[in-house]
Short mmCIF file of all heavy atoms in Angstrom, two decimals:
data_model
loop_
_atom_site.label_atom_id
_atom_site.label_comp_id
_atom_site.label_asym_id
_atom_site.label_seq_id
_atom_site.Cartn_x
_atom_site.Cartn_y
_atom_site.Cartn_z
N MET G 1 -23.15 -45.12 -41.63
CA MET G 1 -22.35 -44.17 -40.84
C MET G 1 -21.74 -43.12 -41.79
O MET G 1 -21.05 -43.48 -42.74
CB MET G 1 -21.25 -45.00 -40.23
CG MET G 1 -20.60 -44.64 -38.95
SD MET G 1 -21.37 -44.24 -37.48
CE MET G 1 -19.91 -43.69 -36.63
N PRO G 2 -21.99 -41.83 -41.54
CA PRO G 2 -21.41 -40.80 -42.40
C PRO G 2 -19.89 -40.74 -42.27
O PRO G 2 -19.33 -41.09 -41.23
CB PRO G 2 -22.04 -39.50 -41.91
CG PRO G 2 -22.70 -39.80 -40.62
CD PRO G 2 -22.83 -41.28 -40.49
N GLU G 3 -19.22 -40.32 -43.34
CA GLU G 3 -17.78 -40.12 -43.29
C GLU G 3 -17.47 -38.91 -42.42
O GLU G 3 -18.34 -38.10 -42.14
CB GLU G 3 -17.23 -39.89 -44.70
CG GLU G 3 -17.32 -41.12 -45.57
CD GLU G 3 -16.78 -40.89 -46.98
OE1 GLU G 3 -15.97 -39.98 -47.18
OE2 GLU G 3 -17.21 -41.64 -47.87
N GLU G 4 -16.21 -38.78 -42.02
CA GLU G 4 -15.78 -37.62 -41.24
C GLU G 4 -15.69 -36.40 -42.15
O GLU G 4 -15.17 -36.49 -43.26
CB GLU G 4 -14.40 -37.86 -40.63
CG GLU G 4 -14.39 -38.81 -39.46
CD GLU G 4 -15.15 -38.26 -38.27
OE1 GLU G 4 -14.91 -37.10 -37.88
OE2 GLU G 4 -16.00 -38.99 -37.74
N PRO G 5 -16.18 -35.23 -41.69
CA PRO G 5 -15.97 -34.01 -42.47
C PRO G 5 -14.48 -33.69 -42.51
O PRO G 5 -13.75 -34.00 -41.56
CB PRO G 5 -16.72 -32.93 -41.69
CG PRO G 5 -17.43 -33.60 -40.58
CD PRO G 5 -16.92 -35.00 -40.45
N LYS G 6 -14.04 -33.09 -43.61
CA LYS G 6 -12.63 -32.71 -43.75
C LYS G 6 -12.48 -31.22 -43.49
O LYS G 6 -13.14 -30.41 -44.17
CB LYS G 6 -12.14 -32.99 -45.16
CG LYS G 6 -11.99 -34.46 -45.46
CD LYS G 6 -11.36 -34.64 -46.83
CE LYS G 6 -11.24 -36.14 -47.11
NZ LYS G 6 -10.88 -36.42 -48.49
N ALA G 7 -11.59 -30.85 -42.58
CA ALA G 7 -11.31 -29.44 -42.36
C ALA G 7 -10.61 -28.89 -43.59
O ALA G 7 -9.76 -29.56 -44.16
CB ALA G 7 -10.43 -29.28 -41.14
N THR G 8 -10.98 -27.71 -44.03
CA THR G 8 -10.29 -27.10 -45.17
C THR G 8 -9.37 -25.99 -44.71
O THR G 8 -8.53 -25.52 -45.47
CB THR G 8 -11.29 -26.54 -46.20
OG1 THR G 8 -12.07 -25.54 -45.56
CG2 THR G 8 -12.19 -27.63 -46.74
N ASP G 9 -9.52 -25.58 -43.45
CA ASP G 9 -8.65 -24.53 -42.90
C ASP G 9 -8.83 -24.54 -41.38
O ASP G 9 -9.77 -25.16 -40.88
CB ASP G 9 -9.05 -23.16 -43.47
CG ASP G 9 -7.87 -22.19 -43.51
OD1 ASP G 9 -6.88 -22.40 -42.78
OD2 ASP G 9 -7.96 -21.21 -44.27
N ASN G 10 -7.93 -23.85 -40.68
CA ASN G 10 -8.10 -23.77 -39.24
C ASN G 10 -8.54 -22.38 -38.81
O ASN G 10 -8.33 -21.96 -37.69
CB ASN G 10 -6.82 -24.19 -38.50
CG ASN G 10 -5.65 -23.30 -38.84
OD1 ASN G 10 -5.79 -22.38 -39.65
ND2 ASN G 10 -4.50 -23.55 -38.25
N LYS G 11 -9.17 -21.69 -39.77
CA LYS G 11 -9.80 -20.40 -39.47
C LYS G 11 -11.01 -20.28 -40.38
O LYS G 11 -11.08 -20.96 -41.42
CB LYS G 11 -8.82 -19.24 -39.68
CG LYS G 11 -8.31 -19.12 -41.09
CD LYS G 11 -7.28 -18.00 -41.19
CE LYS G 11 -6.80 -17.73 -42.60
NZ LYS G 11 -6.31 -18.87 -43.34
N PRO G 12 -11.99 -19.44 -40.02
CA PRO G 12 -13.19 -19.35 -40.85
C PRO G 12 -12.93 -18.65 -42.18
O PRO G 12 -11.94 -17.95 -42.34
CB PRO G 12 -14.15 -18.52 -39.98
CG PRO G 12 -13.26 -17.72 -39.10
CD PRO G 12 -12.05 -18.56 -38.83
N VAL G 13 -13.83 -18.85 -43.11
CA VAL G 13 -13.81 -18.12 -44.38
C VAL G 13 -14.69 -16.89 -44.17
O VAL G 13 -15.90 -17.02 -43.97
CB VAL G 13 -14.37 -18.98 -45.53
CG1 VAL G 13 -14.42 -18.16 -46.82
CG2 VAL G 13 -13.54 -20.24 -45.71
N VAL G 14 -14.07 -15.72 -44.16
CA VAL G 14 -14.82 -14.48 -43.97
C VAL G 14 -15.11 -13.91 -45.35
O VAL G 14 -14.18 -13.67 -46.14
CB VAL G 14 -14.02 -13.48 -43.11
CG1 VAL G 14 -14.80 -12.16 -42.96
CG2 VAL G 14 -13.72 -14.09 -41.75
N THR G 15 -16.39 -13.76 -45.66
CA THR G 15 -16.77 -13.34 -47.00
C THR G 15 -18.06 -12.53 -46.97
O THR G 15 -18.88 -12.73 -46.07
CB THR G 15 -16.92 -14.58 -47.92
OG1 THR G 15 -17.19 -14.15 -49.25
CG2 THR G 15 -18.05 -15.49 -47.48
N LYS G 16 -18.21 -11.63 -47.94
CA LYS G 16 -19.45 -10.87 -48.03
C LYS G 16 -20.39 -11.60 -48.98
O LYS G 16 -20.00 -11.93 -50.11
CB LYS G 16 -19.16 -9.45 -48.52
CG LYS G 16 -20.42 -8.61 -48.53
CD LYS G 16 -20.15 -7.13 -48.75
CE LYS G 16 -21.48 -6.39 -48.63
NZ LYS G 16 -21.36 -4.99 -48.97
N LEU G 17 -21.60 -11.85 -48.53
CA LEU G 17 -22.59 -12.52 -49.36
C LEU G 17 -23.78 -11.59 -49.55
O LEU G 17 -24.13 -10.82 -48.66
CB LEU G 17 -23.06 -13.81 -48.69
CG LEU G 17 -22.02 -14.93 -48.53
CD1 LEU G 17 -22.63 -16.10 -47.75
CD2 LEU G 17 -21.51 -15.40 -49.88
N GLU G 18 -24.39 -11.69 -50.72
CA GLU G 18 -25.61 -10.95 -51.00
C GLU G 18 -26.77 -11.65 -50.30
O GLU G 18 -26.66 -12.82 -49.91
CB GLU G 18 -25.87 -10.91 -52.50
CG GLU G 18 -24.76 -10.22 -53.30
CD GLU G 18 -24.51 -8.79 -52.82
OE1 GLU G 18 -25.48 -8.04 -52.60
OE2 GLU G 18 -23.33 -8.42 -52.66
N ALA G 19 -27.89 -10.95 -50.15
CA ALA G 19 -29.09 -11.59 -49.59
C ALA G 19 -29.45 -12.78 -50.47
O ALA G 19 -29.29 -12.73 -51.68
CB ALA G 19 -30.23 -10.58 -49.57
N GLY G 20 -29.88 -13.86 -49.84
CA GLY G 20 -30.26 -15.04 -50.62
C GLY G 20 -30.07 -16.31 -49.82
O GLY G 20 -29.74 -16.28 -48.64
N LYS G 21 -30.27 -17.42 -50.52
CA LYS G 21 -30.19 -18.73 -49.89
C LYS G 21 -28.89 -19.40 -50.32
O LYS G 21 -28.54 -19.36 -51.51
CB LYS G 21 -31.38 -19.58 -50.39
CG LYS G 21 -32.00 -20.43 -49.33
CD LYS G 21 -33.24 -21.11 -49.89
CE LYS G 21 -34.10 -21.58 -48.75
NZ LYS G 21 -35.28 -22.28 -49.19
N TYR G 22 -28.21 -20.02 -49.37
CA TYR G 22 -26.91 -20.66 -49.63
C TYR G 22 -26.88 -22.04 -49.00
O TYR G 22 -27.61 -22.32 -48.05
CB TYR G 22 -25.78 -19.82 -49.04
CG TYR G 22 -25.67 -18.44 -49.65
CD1 TYR G 22 -26.36 -17.37 -49.11
CD2 TYR G 22 -24.91 -18.24 -50.80
CE1 TYR G 22 -26.29 -16.10 -49.69
CE2 TYR G 22 -24.83 -16.99 -51.38
CZ TYR G 22 -25.51 -15.92 -50.82
OH TYR G 22 -25.44 -14.68 -51.40
N ALA G 23 -26.02 -22.89 -49.52
CA ALA G 23 -25.80 -24.21 -48.94
C ALA G 23 -24.33 -24.31 -48.55
O ALA G 23 -23.43 -24.30 -49.41
CB ALA G 23 -26.16 -25.31 -49.94
N TRP G 24 -24.09 -24.35 -47.24
CA TRP G 24 -22.73 -24.42 -46.71
C TRP G 24 -22.23 -25.86 -46.78
O TRP G 24 -22.93 -26.80 -46.39
CB TRP G 24 -22.73 -23.94 -45.25
CG TRP G 24 -21.47 -24.15 -44.48
CD1 TRP G 24 -20.31 -23.41 -44.57
CD2 TRP G 24 -21.22 -25.13 -43.48
NE1 TRP G 24 -19.38 -23.88 -43.68
CE2 TRP G 24 -19.91 -24.94 -42.99
CE3 TRP G 24 -21.99 -26.17 -42.93
CZ2 TRP G 24 -19.34 -25.73 -42.00
CZ3 TRP G 24 -21.43 -26.96 -41.94
CH2 TRP G 24 -20.12 -26.74 -41.49
N CYS G 25 -21.02 -26.02 -47.28
CA CYS G 25 -20.43 -27.36 -47.38
C CYS G 25 -20.07 -27.89 -46.01
O CYS G 25 -19.24 -27.32 -45.31
CB CYS G 25 -19.18 -27.30 -48.26
SG CYS G 25 -18.25 -28.85 -48.25
N ALA G 26 -20.72 -28.98 -45.62
CA ALA G 26 -20.46 -29.61 -44.32
C ALA G 26 -19.43 -30.72 -44.42
O ALA G 26 -18.91 -31.17 -43.41
CB ALA G 26 -21.77 -30.17 -43.76
N CYS G 27 -19.13 -31.15 -45.65
CA CYS G 27 -18.24 -32.31 -45.80
C CYS G 27 -16.78 -31.91 -46.00
O CYS G 27 -15.88 -32.71 -45.76
CB CYS G 27 -18.72 -33.20 -46.95
SG CYS G 27 -18.40 -32.51 -48.59
N GLY G 28 -16.54 -30.70 -46.48
CA GLY G 28 -15.17 -30.24 -46.71
C GLY G 28 -14.59 -30.72 -48.04
O GLY G 28 -13.39 -30.57 -48.27
N ARG G 29 -15.39 -31.26 -48.92
CA ARG G 29 -14.89 -31.80 -50.19
C ARG G 29 -15.24 -30.93 -51.40
O ARG G 29 -14.84 -31.24 -52.51
CB ARG G 29 -15.46 -33.20 -50.40
CG ARG G 29 -14.89 -34.22 -49.41
CD ARG G 29 -15.82 -35.42 -49.25
NE ARG G 29 -15.30 -36.45 -48.37
CZ ARG G 29 -15.38 -36.42 -47.04
NH1 ARG G 29 -15.93 -35.40 -46.43
NH2 ARG G 29 -14.88 -37.40 -46.31
N SER G 30 -15.97 -29.85 -51.17
CA SER G 30 -16.43 -29.02 -52.28
C SER G 30 -15.29 -28.23 -52.93
O SER G 30 -14.44 -27.68 -52.23
CB SER G 30 -17.49 -28.03 -51.76
OG SER G 30 -17.85 -27.14 -52.79
N SER G 31 -15.30 -28.16 -54.25
CA SER G 31 -14.32 -27.31 -54.93
C SER G 31 -14.77 -25.85 -54.88
O SER G 31 -14.02 -24.96 -55.26
CB SER G 31 -14.14 -27.76 -56.38
OG SER G 31 -15.35 -27.61 -57.07
N GLN G 32 -15.99 -25.62 -54.42
CA GLN G 32 -16.52 -24.26 -54.28
C GLN G 32 -16.55 -23.86 -52.80
O GLN G 32 -17.32 -22.98 -52.41
CB GLN G 32 -17.96 -24.19 -54.82
CG GLN G 32 -18.14 -24.70 -56.22
CD GLN G 32 -17.40 -23.83 -57.23
OE1 GLN G 32 -17.41 -22.61 -57.13
NE2 GLN G 32 -16.73 -24.47 -58.17
N HIS G 33 -15.78 -24.54 -51.96
CA HIS G 33 -15.80 -24.29 -50.52
C HIS G 33 -15.70 -22.80 -50.23
O HIS G 33 -14.88 -22.15 -50.87
CB HIS G 33 -14.65 -25.06 -49.85
CG HIS G 33 -14.81 -25.10 -48.38
ND1 HIS G 33 -14.28 -24.15 -47.55
CD2 HIS G 33 -15.51 -25.95 -47.60
CE1 HIS G 33 -14.64 -24.44 -46.31
NE2 HIS G 33 -15.38 -25.52 -46.30
N PRO G 34 -16.48 -22.25 -49.31
CA PRO G 34 -17.29 -22.93 -48.29
C PRO G 34 -18.71 -23.28 -48.73
O PRO G 34 -19.51 -23.66 -47.88
CB PRO G 34 -17.31 -21.90 -47.15
CG PRO G 34 -17.31 -20.59 -47.87
CD PRO G 34 -16.43 -20.80 -49.09
N LEU G 35 -19.01 -23.16 -50.01
CA LEU G 35 -20.36 -23.51 -50.45
C LEU G 35 -20.36 -24.89 -51.11
O LEU G 35 -19.36 -25.33 -51.67
CB LEU G 35 -20.89 -22.44 -51.41
CG LEU G 35 -20.97 -21.03 -50.77
CD1 LEU G 35 -21.44 -20.02 -51.80
CD2 LEU G 35 -21.87 -21.02 -49.53
N CYS G 36 -21.48 -25.57 -51.01
CA CYS G 36 -21.65 -26.94 -51.51
C CYS G 36 -21.63 -26.99 -53.04
O CYS G 36 -22.22 -26.14 -53.70
CB CYS G 36 -23.00 -27.45 -51.00
SG CYS G 36 -23.49 -29.05 -51.64
N ASP G 37 -20.94 -27.99 -53.59
CA ASP G 37 -20.98 -28.21 -55.04
C ASP G 37 -21.49 -29.62 -55.37
O ASP G 37 -21.38 -30.06 -56.51
CB ASP G 37 -19.60 -27.98 -55.67
CG ASP G 37 -18.61 -29.09 -55.33
OD1 ASP G 37 -18.91 -29.94 -54.48
OD2 ASP G 37 -17.52 -29.09 -55.93
N GLY G 38 -22.02 -30.31 -54.36
CA GLY G 38 -22.56 -31.64 -54.60
C GLY G 38 -21.57 -32.76 -54.34
O GLY G 38 -21.93 -33.95 -54.42
N SER G 39 -20.32 -32.41 -54.00
CA SER G 39 -19.29 -33.43 -53.79
C SER G 39 -19.54 -34.31 -52.57
O SER G 39 -18.86 -35.31 -52.38
CB SER G 39 -17.91 -32.78 -53.64
OG SER G 39 -17.57 -32.08 -54.81
N HIS G 40 -20.51 -33.94 -51.73
CA HIS G 40 -20.82 -34.75 -50.54
C HIS G 40 -21.53 -36.05 -50.92
O HIS G 40 -21.68 -36.94 -50.08
CB HIS G 40 -21.71 -33.96 -49.57
CG HIS G 40 -23.01 -33.55 -50.19
ND1 HIS G 40 -23.17 -32.36 -50.87
CD2 HIS G 40 -24.20 -34.19 -50.26
CE1 HIS G 40 -24.42 -32.29 -51.33
NE2 HIS G 40 -25.06 -33.39 -50.97
N SER G 41 -21.92 -36.17 -52.17
CA SER G 41 -22.66 -37.36 -52.61
C SER G 41 -21.92 -38.63 -52.22
O SER G 41 -20.74 -38.79 -52.53
CB SER G 41 -22.83 -37.27 -54.13
OG SER G 41 -23.47 -38.42 -54.58
N GLY G 42 -22.59 -39.51 -51.51
CA GLY G 42 -22.01 -40.78 -51.11
C GLY G 42 -21.28 -40.75 -49.77
O GLY G 42 -20.83 -41.79 -49.29
N THR G 43 -21.16 -39.54 -49.14
CA THR G 43 -20.44 -39.46 -47.88
C THR G 43 -21.37 -39.63 -46.67
O THR G 43 -20.90 -39.81 -45.56
CB THR G 43 -19.74 -38.08 -47.71
OG1 THR G 43 -20.76 -37.06 -47.68
CG2 THR G 43 -18.77 -37.81 -48.84
N GLY G 44 -22.67 -39.50 -46.92
CA GLY G 44 -23.61 -39.54 -45.80
C GLY G 44 -23.74 -38.18 -45.12
O GLY G 44 -24.46 -38.04 -44.14
N LEU G 45 -23.01 -37.18 -45.64
CA LEU G 45 -23.07 -35.83 -45.08
C LEU G 45 -23.91 -34.96 -46.01
O LEU G 45 -23.98 -35.21 -47.21
CB LEU G 45 -21.66 -35.24 -44.97
CG LEU G 45 -20.72 -36.00 -44.03
CD1 LEU G 45 -19.27 -35.56 -44.25
CD2 LEU G 45 -21.12 -35.78 -42.59
N THR G 46 -24.54 -33.95 -45.45
CA THR G 46 -25.37 -33.06 -46.26
C THR G 46 -25.07 -31.61 -45.92
O THR G 46 -24.67 -31.30 -44.80
CB THR G 46 -26.88 -33.31 -46.01
OG1 THR G 46 -27.13 -33.25 -44.61
CG2 THR G 46 -27.31 -34.67 -46.54
N PRO G 47 -25.25 -30.70 -46.89
CA PRO G 47 -24.97 -29.29 -46.64
C PRO G 47 -25.97 -28.68 -45.68
O PRO G 47 -27.05 -29.23 -45.46
CB PRO G 47 -25.08 -28.66 -48.03
CG PRO G 47 -25.99 -29.56 -48.78
CD PRO G 47 -25.74 -30.95 -48.26
N VAL G 48 -25.60 -27.55 -45.11
CA VAL G 48 -26.51 -26.79 -44.24
C VAL G 48 -27.00 -25.59 -45.05
O VAL G 48 -26.21 -24.74 -45.46
CB VAL G 48 -25.79 -26.31 -42.96
CG1 VAL G 48 -26.69 -25.39 -42.14
CG2 VAL G 48 -25.34 -27.50 -42.14
N VAL G 49 -28.30 -25.57 -45.29
CA VAL G 49 -28.89 -24.47 -46.06
C VAL G 49 -29.19 -23.32 -45.11
O VAL G 49 -29.72 -23.52 -44.02
CB VAL G 49 -30.18 -24.94 -46.78
CG1 VAL G 49 -30.87 -23.78 -47.47
CG2 VAL G 49 -29.82 -26.04 -47.79
N PHE G 50 -28.78 -22.12 -45.51
CA PHE G 50 -29.08 -20.94 -44.69
C PHE G 50 -29.46 -19.79 -45.61
O PHE G 50 -29.17 -19.80 -46.80
CB PHE G 50 -27.88 -20.57 -43.80
CG PHE G 50 -26.65 -20.12 -44.54
CD1 PHE G 50 -26.33 -18.77 -44.61
CD2 PHE G 50 -25.81 -21.02 -45.16
CE1 PHE G 50 -25.19 -18.33 -45.29
CE2 PHE G 50 -24.66 -20.61 -45.84
CZ PHE G 50 -24.36 -19.26 -45.89
N GLU G 51 -30.15 -18.81 -45.02
CA GLU G 51 -30.65 -17.69 -45.81
C GLU G 51 -30.25 -16.38 -45.15
O GLU G 51 -30.32 -16.26 -43.93
CB GLU G 51 -32.18 -17.79 -45.91
CG GLU G 51 -32.76 -16.80 -46.88
CD GLU G 51 -34.19 -17.18 -47.31
OE1 GLU G 51 -34.78 -18.12 -46.74
OE2 GLU G 51 -34.69 -16.51 -48.22
N LEU G 52 -29.82 -15.44 -45.97
CA LEU G 52 -29.50 -14.10 -45.47
C LEU G 52 -30.57 -13.14 -45.98
O LEU G 52 -30.87 -13.13 -47.17
CB LEU G 52 -28.12 -13.66 -45.97
CG LEU G 52 -26.93 -14.48 -45.51
CD1 LEU G 52 -25.65 -13.95 -46.17
CD2 LEU G 52 -26.79 -14.47 -44.00
N GLU G 53 -31.11 -12.35 -45.06
CA GLU G 53 -32.14 -11.37 -45.43
C GLU G 53 -31.52 -10.18 -46.14
O GLU G 53 -32.15 -9.57 -47.00
CB GLU G 53 -32.85 -10.87 -44.17
CG GLU G 53 -33.46 -11.98 -43.32
CD GLU G 53 -34.88 -12.27 -43.72
OE1 GLU G 53 -35.63 -11.30 -43.90
OE2 GLU G 53 -35.21 -13.46 -43.85
N ASP G 54 -30.29 -9.85 -45.72
CA ASP G 54 -29.60 -8.69 -46.28
C ASP G 54 -28.19 -9.10 -46.64
O ASP G 54 -27.68 -10.10 -46.12
CB ASP G 54 -29.49 -7.57 -45.24
CG ASP G 54 -30.85 -7.13 -44.74
OD1 ASP G 54 -31.66 -6.68 -45.55
OD2 ASP G 54 -31.09 -7.28 -43.52
N SER G 55 -27.56 -8.33 -47.47
CA SER G 55 -26.17 -8.59 -47.80
C SER G 55 -25.34 -8.33 -46.55
O SER G 55 -25.55 -7.34 -45.84
CB SER G 55 -25.81 -7.68 -48.97
OG SER G 55 -24.75 -6.88 -48.68
N LYS G 56 -24.43 -9.25 -46.21
CA LYS G 56 -23.58 -9.04 -45.04
C LYS G 56 -22.32 -9.87 -45.10
O LYS G 56 -22.23 -10.82 -45.88
CB LYS G 56 -24.35 -9.28 -43.74
CG LYS G 56 -24.74 -10.70 -43.45
CD LYS G 56 -25.75 -10.71 -42.32
CE LYS G 56 -25.24 -11.36 -41.08
NZ LYS G 56 -26.24 -11.62 -40.07
N THR G 57 -21.36 -9.50 -44.26
CA THR G 57 -20.12 -10.24 -44.16
C THR G 57 -20.31 -11.32 -43.10
O THR G 57 -20.78 -11.04 -42.00
CB THR G 57 -18.97 -9.30 -43.78
OG1 THR G 57 -18.85 -8.33 -44.82
CG2 THR G 57 -17.65 -10.04 -43.64
N VAL G 58 -19.97 -12.54 -43.46
CA VAL G 58 -20.17 -13.68 -42.56
C VAL G 58 -18.86 -14.43 -42.40
O VAL G 58 -17.98 -14.37 -43.27
CB VAL G 58 -21.26 -14.64 -43.09
CG1 VAL G 58 -22.63 -13.99 -43.06
CG2 VAL G 58 -20.95 -15.13 -44.49
N ALA G 59 -18.73 -15.15 -41.29
CA ALA G 59 -17.57 -16.02 -41.05
C ALA G 59 -18.09 -17.45 -41.09
O ALA G 59 -18.77 -17.90 -40.17
CB ALA G 59 -16.95 -15.69 -39.70
N LEU G 60 -17.78 -18.13 -42.19
CA LEU G 60 -18.27 -19.50 -42.38
C LEU G 60 -17.22 -20.49 -41.90
O LEU G 60 -16.03 -20.36 -42.21
CB LEU G 60 -18.60 -19.73 -43.85
CG LEU G 60 -19.74 -18.84 -44.39
CD1 LEU G 60 -19.87 -18.99 -45.90
CD2 LEU G 60 -21.06 -19.17 -43.72
N CYS G 61 -17.66 -21.47 -41.16
CA CYS G 61 -16.76 -22.47 -40.57
C CYS G 61 -16.02 -23.25 -41.65
O CYS G 61 -16.63 -23.73 -42.61
CB CYS G 61 -17.56 -23.43 -39.70
SG CYS G 61 -16.57 -24.79 -39.06
N ALA G 62 -14.71 -23.38 -41.46
CA ALA G 62 -13.90 -24.19 -42.39
C ALA G 62 -13.27 -25.38 -41.67
O ALA G 62 -12.82 -26.32 -42.31
CB ALA G 62 -12.82 -23.34 -43.03
N CYS G 63 -13.22 -25.32 -40.33
CA CYS G 63 -12.60 -26.43 -39.58
C CYS G 63 -13.59 -27.58 -39.38
O CYS G 63 -13.19 -28.68 -39.04
CB CYS G 63 -12.06 -25.95 -38.23
SG CYS G 63 -13.33 -25.65 -36.98
N LYS G 64 -14.86 -27.29 -39.62
CA LYS G 64 -15.96 -28.27 -39.52
C LYS G 64 -16.22 -28.75 -38.09
O LYS G 64 -16.84 -29.77 -37.88
CB LYS G 64 -15.74 -29.49 -40.44
CG LYS G 64 -15.41 -29.14 -41.88
CD LYS G 64 -16.47 -28.28 -42.52
CE LYS G 64 -16.09 -27.84 -43.92
NZ LYS G 64 -16.95 -26.83 -44.48
N LYS G 65 -15.75 -27.97 -37.11
CA LYS G 65 -16.00 -28.35 -35.71
C LYS G 65 -17.04 -27.45 -35.06
O LYS G 65 -17.36 -27.62 -33.88
CB LYS G 65 -14.70 -28.24 -34.90
CG LYS G 65 -13.66 -29.25 -35.29
CD LYS G 65 -12.49 -29.15 -34.32
CE LYS G 65 -11.18 -29.41 -34.99
NZ LYS G 65 -10.06 -28.69 -34.42
N THR G 66 -17.55 -26.45 -35.78
CA THR G 66 -18.50 -25.51 -35.17
C THR G 66 -19.76 -26.21 -34.66
O THR G 66 -20.22 -27.19 -35.25
CB THR G 66 -18.90 -24.40 -36.18
OG1 THR G 66 -19.77 -23.48 -35.52
CG2 THR G 66 -19.62 -24.96 -37.40
N ASN G 67 -20.31 -25.68 -33.61
CA ASN G 67 -21.61 -26.14 -33.12
C ASN G 67 -22.71 -25.21 -33.59
O ASN G 67 -23.86 -25.37 -33.20
CB ASN G 67 -21.60 -26.23 -31.59
CG ASN G 67 -20.70 -27.34 -31.12
OD1 ASN G 67 -20.81 -28.47 -31.56
ND2 ASN G 67 -19.75 -27.03 -30.23
N GLY G 68 -22.34 -24.23 -34.40
CA GLY G 68 -23.31 -23.25 -34.88
C GLY G 68 -23.33 -23.17 -36.39
O GLY G 68 -23.42 -22.08 -36.95
N ALA G 69 -23.20 -24.31 -37.06
CA ALA G 69 -23.11 -24.35 -38.53
C ALA G 69 -24.25 -23.55 -39.17
O ALA G 69 -25.37 -23.62 -38.69
CB ALA G 69 -23.16 -25.79 -39.02
N PRO G 70 -23.94 -22.77 -40.20
CA PRO G 70 -22.68 -22.75 -40.95
C PRO G 70 -21.64 -21.76 -40.43
O PRO G 70 -20.58 -21.62 -41.02
CB PRO G 70 -23.16 -22.31 -42.34
CG PRO G 70 -24.25 -21.32 -42.03
CD PRO G 70 -24.96 -21.92 -40.82
N PHE G 71 -21.95 -21.09 -39.33
CA PHE G 71 -21.09 -19.99 -38.90
C PHE G 71 -20.02 -20.45 -37.90
O PHE G 71 -20.23 -21.38 -37.12
CB PHE G 71 -21.94 -18.88 -38.29
CG PHE G 71 -23.01 -18.40 -39.23
CD1 PHE G 71 -24.35 -18.71 -38.99
CD2 PHE G 71 -22.68 -17.71 -40.38
CE1 PHE G 71 -25.34 -18.31 -39.88
CE2 PHE G 71 -23.66 -17.30 -41.28
CZ PHE G 71 -25.00 -17.60 -41.03
N CYS G 72 -18.90 -19.75 -37.94
CA CYS G 72 -17.80 -20.02 -37.01
C CYS G 72 -18.25 -19.70 -35.59
O CYS G 72 -18.88 -18.68 -35.35
CB CYS G 72 -16.62 -19.12 -37.39
SG CYS G 72 -15.26 -19.17 -36.21
N ASP G 73 -17.93 -20.60 -34.65
CA ASP G 73 -18.21 -20.34 -33.24
C ASP G 73 -16.93 -20.32 -32.42
O ASP G 73 -16.98 -20.37 -31.20
CB ASP G 73 -19.22 -21.35 -32.68
CG ASP G 73 -18.63 -22.74 -32.52
OD1 ASP G 73 -17.48 -22.97 -32.98
OD2 ASP G 73 -19.29 -23.59 -31.93
N GLY G 74 -15.79 -20.27 -33.09
CA GLY G 74 -14.51 -20.22 -32.39
C GLY G 74 -13.92 -21.58 -32.07
O GLY G 74 -12.83 -21.66 -31.50
N SER G 75 -14.61 -22.66 -32.45
CA SER G 75 -14.14 -24.01 -32.12
C SER G 75 -12.79 -24.33 -32.74
O SER G 75 -12.09 -25.22 -32.23
CB SER G 75 -15.15 -25.07 -32.59
OG SER G 75 -16.35 -24.95 -31.86
N HIS G 76 -12.40 -23.62 -33.82
CA HIS G 76 -11.11 -23.91 -34.45
C HIS G 76 -9.94 -23.60 -33.52
O HIS G 76 -8.86 -24.12 -33.72
CB HIS G 76 -10.96 -23.11 -35.77
CG HIS G 76 -11.03 -21.63 -35.57
ND1 HIS G 76 -12.22 -20.94 -35.53
CD2 HIS G 76 -10.06 -20.72 -35.35
CE1 HIS G 76 -11.96 -19.64 -35.34
NE2 HIS G 76 -10.67 -19.49 -35.21
N SER G 77 -10.17 -22.75 -32.52
CA SER G 77 -9.06 -22.43 -31.61
C SER G 77 -8.91 -23.41 -30.47
O SER G 77 -7.98 -23.29 -29.69
CB SER G 77 -9.19 -21.02 -31.01
OG SER G 77 -10.16 -20.27 -31.57
N SER G 78 -9.80 -24.36 -30.34
CA SER G 78 -9.64 -25.30 -29.22
C SER G 78 -9.18 -26.67 -29.71
O SER G 78 -9.20 -26.97 -30.88
CB SER G 78 -10.95 -25.45 -28.46
OG SER G 78 -11.98 -25.86 -29.32
S1 FES F 1 -20.01 -30.57 -51.21
FE1 FES F 1 -19.68 -30.60 -49.06
S2 FES F 1 -21.71 -30.65 -48.24
FE2 FES F 1 -22.01 -30.62 -50.37
#
């Protein structure tokens, strides 16, 4: 059974990312949050890999309740 993800905030992390591949931290334990640093090891949780074709500003989920990982879907307000 995987451990529970830890919320790191009750609002998304809004950040500009360059085009490329990223691994979003799904466990909430990364010191590089919102990106994975490998701290999920042993939790049964795994990062969500996503790719951006172009550089853009994104809202990455920090409450860990989104149904659209890695992006915020507004679930932090409910
Ligand atoms: S450190 Fe959280 S998913 Fe990898």
Side-chain angles (χ1 to χ4, degrees):
M1 208 50 189
E3 291 180 23
E4 285 295 311
K6 289 186 181 170
T8 60
D9 208 339
N10 61 359
K11 61 183 185 308
V13 176
V14 178
T15 184
K16 184 168 184 187
L17 295 176
E18 299 303 315
K21 220 175 199 182
Y22 297 90
W24 171 77
C25 172
C27 74
R29 291 157 177 82
S30 175
S31 63
Q32 307 295 319
H33 193 269
L35 300 177
C36 174
D37 72 351
S39 298
H40 60 271
S41 177
T43 63
L45 298 166
T46 53
V48 173
V49 175
F50 66 102
E51 189 162 8
L52 297 176
E53 304 269 315
D54 301 300
S55 123
K56 70 193 246 191
T57 299
V58 293
L60 296 172
C61 174
C63 75
K64 310 303 176 190
K65 292 187 215 149
T66 183
N67 291 308
F71 305 108
C72 173
D73 71 352
S75 294
H76 60 274
S77 350
S78 57

